[in-house]
Amino acid sequence: MTDLRVAAVDLGATSGRVMAARVGAGHLSLKEVHRFPNGGVPVGGSLFWDVLGIHREVLAGMAEVARTGELHGIGIDSWAVDYGLLDRDGELLGNPYSHRDPRTRDVPELVAKTVSVQKQYAVNGLQQLPFTTVFQLAAARGTAALESAHTLLLLPDLLSYWLTGEVGAERTNASTTGLLDVTTGEWSSELASRLQLPWSILPPLRDAGSVVGPLRVEVAADLGLAPDVPVVAVGSHDTASAVVAVPADSTTSFGYISSGTWSLVGLELDQPVLSEEAREADFTNEGGVDGTVRFLKNVMGLWVLSECLRAWKDRGTPATDLASLLAGASTAAPLRTVVDINHPSLLGPGSATDPMPERVVRLARDAGEPLPQTPGEITRCVLDSLALAYRRHLRTAARLAGRDLEVVHVVGGGSHNHLLCQLTADALGVPVLAGPGEAAALGNALVQARALGADLPDLAAMRALVRETHDVRRHDPRPGLDWDAADHRVGPPTA
């Protein structure tokens, strides 16, 4: 297999990066060539994405990749559900909203009056999250932007459109919108029509691994690239790309945690689980690469800790860099304070008047838990609560899917948090294998390479290459803590 060099654009809600990846026989490597901060921009009481700024940074990263060697392909993945609207001339109608904007808070209840949650789940198989695309669109009914819209493009597809001029929706990300029929893999025009949404704005669907198109001539010229460099539709939902790079052995029944700002906690299946019990447990069935199903639960993730870090930095609190906080958390009393880490009060960004550390303490007070006093204790509370959530949801997923759980793979940035990975192993009572950290970019690169002719016929071959080329850190479970009692203190899970 001849080495291929591709640009893997991996966009997160707090940062974006452009990676130069090499894929060949026995070879898989990444080099970060450009990283930039990202985040919601508050304007007039709403929260938006600076998508033109993101596009500018993507171009800058691609130009850097082009300066350092030949480029065979480009792929883009990002977080899910957020979108831009185009008018009939193909121009963007305003700034895309961030999924953390509060306008959708009560929308699921309003939608359920038209289409019951049972009927929604039978079509889309998704857990009820207020920021899902279908609820964002329901919140936008009657607005000038939606009434003028000709096309809806999810963010990775919008960026690909600006690169190529080609319109479409990659299926793994489309599956997160609430408007894709999880059984047929096609848009549900019936559901959209019942909710009085303009289903005609939904673009044609394409599979991960298909070629979107070559670069626009002017884009290629600006980047110093040949105009025939293709943009490839990867698993454009970053979790779909991350799961591709889970270094699992196909003989082992595994669970995964794609750990970053959000934690996506679940199993890889061949078919969706659409039982009433799965719906009541608020599990989601999202599309994966090669027709797989990501049966999972969204957990708030390291967002809570990153917002605590930001608050402490703004205050000038000493010894609140991540390494110091984890050191303090490692010596704090285990399971002293646990909270529902998925509580809605933790969803939005912290503010000067309502910072994240105080929200965590308030949750503990409301639950009758001992109050964490120091940054180290608050950090331990967050990590213990995350491990409890992982335990609860992975065990539930295995039970609902009729699967054993023999090992858990943690990929993404959270795989570097060794304390959290060890606590997860302790909580679940099974080994946790941590790494690779840049799983989404690796999965992005692997799907591109296959589309460009690499001998990687299936997920098993891709994962074998990851195992061959990347180390993982094993965390074996330690006895001694009563995780059952701690789980009981948290109470029923929050949807």
Side-chain angles (χ1 to χ4, degrees), residues 61 74 114 134 164 255 276 327 391 393 475:
I74 299 160
T114 302
V134 64
T164 66
E276 181 62 11
R391 174 186 190 268
H393 299 316
H475 301 266

Side-chain angles (χ1 to χ4, degrees), residues 255-257 265-266 390-398 405 408 428:
Y256 61 81
I257 302 170
V265 181
Y390 298 161
R391 174 186 190 268
R392 174 179 289 192
H393 299 316
L394 278 169
R395 288 186 170 185
T396 301
L405 189 64
V408 172
L428 280 159

Side-chain angles (χ1 to χ4, degrees), residues 104-113 115 117 120 128-131 135:
T104 61
R105 187 175 295 135
D106 300 321
V107 172
E109 290 77 12
L110 296 175
V111 167
K113 293 178 180 179
V115 179
V117 292
Q120 291 177 53
Q128 289 275 301
L129 294 170
F131 47 74
F135 300 137

Side-chain angles (χ1 to χ4, degrees), residues 342-416:
N342 250 24
H343 195 276
S345 66
L346 304 179
L347 177 62
S351 65
T353 57
D354 189 23
M356 190 63 75
E358 277 69 15
R359 296 185 194 178
V360 174
V361 173
R362 187 163 62 244
L363 274 181
R365 180 183 296 112
D366 292 346
E369 290 283 299
L371 300 186
Q373 302 292 332
T374 67
E377 289 178 349
I378 291 173
T379 300
R380 183 58 185 249
C381 168
V382 170
L383 298 183
D384 280 345
S385 300
L386 276 171
L388 272 175
Y390 298 161
R391 174 186 190 268
R392 174 179 289 192
H393 299 316
L394 278 169
R395 288 186 170 185
T396 301
R399 178 176 56 80
L400 291 171
R403 293 274 295 271
D404 293 326
L405 189 64
E406 299 173 335
V407 65
V408 172
H409 288 268
V410 178
V411 297
S415 67
H416 300 302

